[in-house]
């Protein structure tokens, strides 16, 4: 109905244009924009409605009521692993969003060069300059430095409620995937030529590079300590090539955008993205990776843990400025921590559905970002930036779920 | 009565939920919050009232009236010892809070890496990049560097009205407690094997490492110059293991949070925290450490100098974001300096009670932080951060004690 109406309106506009009786351009543009938004939403409403999450109510249910008896840290301690020579904004966006939503402490583990810059964005963050990049590490020191990096993160690990791995991590081979590349080489060597010497060399090489793979080690340690992990941005690039890191871990969330999702589908399902059966394909993908939760970002966010699929379609903003994904990962980290606390406190007896804390975290995080983006766009229009959206997080949360 | 009422109301809420006739979630949450706050406060009102400090009047009495004849520095010069590779926000929060309340000059002594970042937060602070951490100091240089660090701080010492030791200091062994660790080793050596050579070696080792212990030396020098010292954060971690540094010094204030207080009680009183006799236990603890003043942070702040106990229970904010303790230490530093000036000017004849400047400083600092936190929360709700509270310090002070 809405679409039809929109199309009728467009033809009226076109005919008016042809007769040189067009209304002012600004009015036309606004009308066209509304037609597009409402039209597309109208098409999707029928498909989506049965999957649509009751997002605002879920957000209200998992957000803790304030209790004056609580002390620092009990509302959540979040850590972001990311921030390198090129990228300093992304880890800041993720970490500050977590604080603005209500986490008590927010840490960033980044490279030495990135740290002073991230610190300078806000005195509220605790920034650890511990990661190293290839350009600053000699070959002979790699093993030693890798162990030190992992130990530095590990000594803080137990205290965190959630880890966000990836915002602004970059794709430095030392930091990320030198291990992966050489492991691939080893596999080829073992497959193509199976002489005793080659095998020995491959094993030696494998063992050496395994310890270089800092981010993999950090993920493994978080998993061992049962700490939820959200994999975003360059973290996804790495994890897509090393699915074993998260496969079968129910507290892992992957948050792919269009391209990252495409790569993930190709890698895991060995096919192309099928938008005709978006829900079914996402379900298969999450199941195939052993029940991790996937938040597929898009005009509607689709979320699945391999058991169910939910969508969040509240209207956000048409601006696609970089950094919104980082707000999302920081937000999901907080809501997931709160959902987990709530489930533990109620011994699993929840009156909300779904009951998986990773699903709840994704739904609430997605709903809040959309609300904040819409408020920011209302105010700033084309000049809306990620920092404007972050400034609207508090008001959005208050609109959905008043503090008291 | 309030508690009873609250509990009845809660059961009504629960029963309404069970019958699926629940009022809207937002209304429920607000009611639950009020019940918690009023309920818990109601329980405590009876216990606390006889200990409750007349905080606003004390704050008004010790805050100096503006006098156009005064010159720069007379309203207070404060120094914060803290700020390291990980932590740059904490010393900034303490130092800027001191300025925002009315100190004329605020210094920070931090590590070289931390200094440019802290400087970047505000051009108002005087930041000295003099402290060193283990990773940047070779073994052979430690003695020499330690002496230089202590001398650098010492040449400014006489000018300060109060020292805050600990915000963001970190727990680096060179900066903090290498001395302590090796002293323990020396003691074991002397106890286990008493040969002449071993004793000689132990004494030599003791003397050498004693000078590494930069923070201990700074505390000793401040004490020698009768400068008040507030020990907070990682400073408390260090002092709890080296109680001799502050024991018997009436111008020392310790400001432990829940965990730091627990550690202090275990160490000094050799027992667990007893909340049934919170006042009595705090009194014993302060007395046991030779009459230092302890500000035990919590839902109500409890303060004792080993002679009396006072509480400050004005309602602040339910947000427990990291950094509020740093505002408190900076605030207490200023009020303590003012209280001391007032006492000196009146030759000890004060019409307010208590008369100990450390008690007065703690009471006023606690009251102001609570007021500012409550104003910030009113405005920002869940997204309240420490910088928002700092922005409310001036207005809070003006509300309680108008400048003119």
């Amino acid at each position: 109905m809405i679409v039809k109406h929109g199309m009728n309106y467009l033809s009226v506009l076109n005919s008016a244009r042809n007769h040189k009786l067009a209304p002012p351009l600004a009015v036309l543009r606004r009308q066209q924009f509304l037609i597009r938004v409402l039209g597309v939403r109208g098409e999707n409403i029928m498909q989506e409605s049965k999957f649509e999450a009751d997002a605002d109510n879920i957000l209200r249910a998992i957000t803790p009521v304030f209790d004056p008896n609580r002390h620092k840290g009990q509302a959540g301690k979040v850590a972001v692993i990311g921030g390198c020579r090129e990228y300093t904004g992304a880890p800041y966006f993720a970490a500050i969003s977590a604080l603005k939503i209500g986490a008590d402490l927010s840490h960033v583990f980044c490279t030495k060069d990135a740290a002073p810059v991230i610190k300078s964005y806000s005195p509220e963050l605790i920034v650890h300059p511990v990661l190293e990049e290839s350009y600053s590490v000699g070959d002979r020191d790699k093993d030693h430095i890798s162990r030190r990096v992992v130990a530095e993160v590990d000594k803080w690990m137990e205290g965190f409620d959630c880890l966000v791995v990836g915002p602004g991590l970059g794709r430095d081979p030392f930091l990320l995937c030198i291990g992966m590349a050489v492991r691939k080489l080893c596999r080829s060597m073992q497959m193509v030529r199976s002489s005793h010497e080659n095998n020995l060399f491959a094993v030696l090489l494998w063992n050496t590079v395994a310890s270089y793979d800092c981010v993999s080690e950090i993920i493994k340690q978080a998993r061992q300590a049962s700490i939820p992990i959200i994999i975003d941005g360059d973290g996804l690039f790495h994890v897509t090539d090393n699915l074993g890191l998260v496969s079968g871990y129910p507290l892992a969330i992957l948050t792919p955008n269009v391209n990252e999702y495409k790569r993930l589908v190709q890698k895991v399902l060995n096919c192309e993205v099928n938008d005709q059966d978006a829900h079914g394909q996402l379900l298969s993908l999450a199941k195939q990776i052993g029940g991790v939760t996937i938040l597929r970002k898009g005009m509607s966010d689709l979320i699945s843990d391999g058991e169910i699929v939910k969508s969040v379609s509240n209207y956000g903003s048409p601006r696609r400025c970089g950094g919104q994904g980082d707000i999302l990962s920081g937000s999901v980290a907080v809501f997931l921590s709160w959902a987990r606390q709530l489930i533990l406190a109620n011994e699993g007896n929840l009156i909300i559905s779904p009951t998986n804390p990773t699903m709840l975290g994704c739904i609430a995080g997605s709903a809040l970002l959309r609300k904040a983006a819409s408020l920011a766009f209302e105010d700033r229009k084309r000049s809306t930036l990620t920092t404007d959206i972050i400034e609207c997080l508090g008001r959005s949360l208050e609109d959905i779920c008043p503090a008291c």
Side-chain angles (χ1 to χ4, degrees), chain A residues 367-386:
Chain A
L368 186 70
L369 170 61
R370 281 163 182 266
K371 174 91 178 170
S374 117
L375 288 180
F377 185 75
E378 213 173 286
D379 184 32
R380 300 278 186 161
K381 298 290 190 305
R382 283 181 192 280
S383 72
T384 308
L385 298 187
T386 298

Side-chain angles (χ1 to χ4, degrees), chain A residues 26-44:
Chain A
V27 176
L28 266 179
R29 295 171 68 88
R30 175 152 181 81
Q31 286 162 341
Q32 282 175 334
F33 170 76
L34 288 173
I35 288 161
R36 276 178 211 219
V37 174
L38 295 173
V40 177
R41 297 287 328 116
E43 260 175 357
N44 282 352

Side-chain angles (χ1 to χ4, degrees), chain A residues 228-386:
Chain A
I229 313 166
I230 296 161
I231 313 277
D232 187 40
D234 291 320
L236 271 170
F237 174 81
H238 179 54
V239 163
T240 303
D241 285 324
N242 296 271
L243 282 165
L245 288 171
V246 293
S247 184
Y249 185 45
L251 292 174
I253 294 176
L254 315 183
T255 56
N257 62 19
V258 175
N259 292 325
E260 290 154 352
Y261 188 70
K262 189 176 169 189
R263 200 163 164 261
L264 204 56
V265 167
Q266 286 169 340
K267 182 85 182 180
V268 180
L269 301 179
N270 209 17
C271 64
E272 292 305 314
V273 172
N274 174 9
D275 277 327
Q276 300 307 308
D277 182 25
H279 295 79
Q281 191 173 47
L282 180 66
L283 198 76
S284 304
L285 186 65
K287 195 174 279 179
Q288 196 75 19
I289 315 177
V292 301
T293 296
I294 301 173
L295 192 171
R296 179 191 173 182
K297 295 182 278 197
M299 202 177 70
S300 287
D301 289 340
L302 292 187
I303 306 156
S304 177
D305 58 0
E307 296 288 329
I308 54 165
V309 183
K310 286 286 171 188
S311 62
V312 179
S313 314
N314 313 344
Y315 185 62
S317 146
R319 273 287 274 153
R320 295 288 177 264
C321 50
Q324 294 182 59
D326 307 311
I327 302 180
L328 182 66
S329 62
S331 310
V332 171
V334 179
F335 287 117
L336 160 54
S337 309
W338 288 347
R340 228 179 147 213
Q341 278 183 5
L342 183 73
I343 290 166
L344 286 171
N346 287 277
E347 293 170 353
N349 300 319
L350 282 192
I351 51 162
I352 44 169
S353 164
T355 51
N356 184 345
T358 53
M359 288 292 294
L360 293 170
C362 288
I363 292 167
S366 170
L368 186 70
L369 170 61
R370 281 163 182 266
K371 174 91 178 170
S374 117
L375 288 180
F377 185 75
E378 213 173 286
D379 184 32
R380 300 278 186 161
K381 298 290 190 305
R382 283 181 192 280
S383 72
T384 308
L385 298 187
T386 298

Side-chain angles (χ1 to χ4, degrees), chain A residues 173-242:
Chain A
F174 175 63
L175 205 57
L176 269 190
C177 50
I178 190 170
M180 177 197 76
V182 186
R183 271 182 221 138
K184 271 187 186 164
L185 175 70
C186 296
R187 273 196 209 102
S188 327
M189 286 173 68
Q190 283 175 312
M191 282 167 64
V192 177
R193 300 198 298 167
S194 61
S195 77
H196 181 61
E197 291 79 2
N198 255 351
N199 268 343
L200 266 185
F201 175 67
V203 169
L204 182 70
L205 203 58
W206 180 297
N207 289 341
T208 310
V209 298
S211 62
Y212 292 168
D213 200 338
C214 305
V215 171
S216 297
E217 284 305 314
I218 292 168
I219 293 174
K220 282 179 200 165
Q221 287 179 354
R223 190 172 173 168
Q224 211 165 0
S226 293
I227 293 164
I229 313 166
I230 296 161
I231 313 277
D232 187 40
D234 291 320
L236 271 170
F237 174 81
H238 179 54
V239 163
T240 303
D241 285 324
N242 296 271

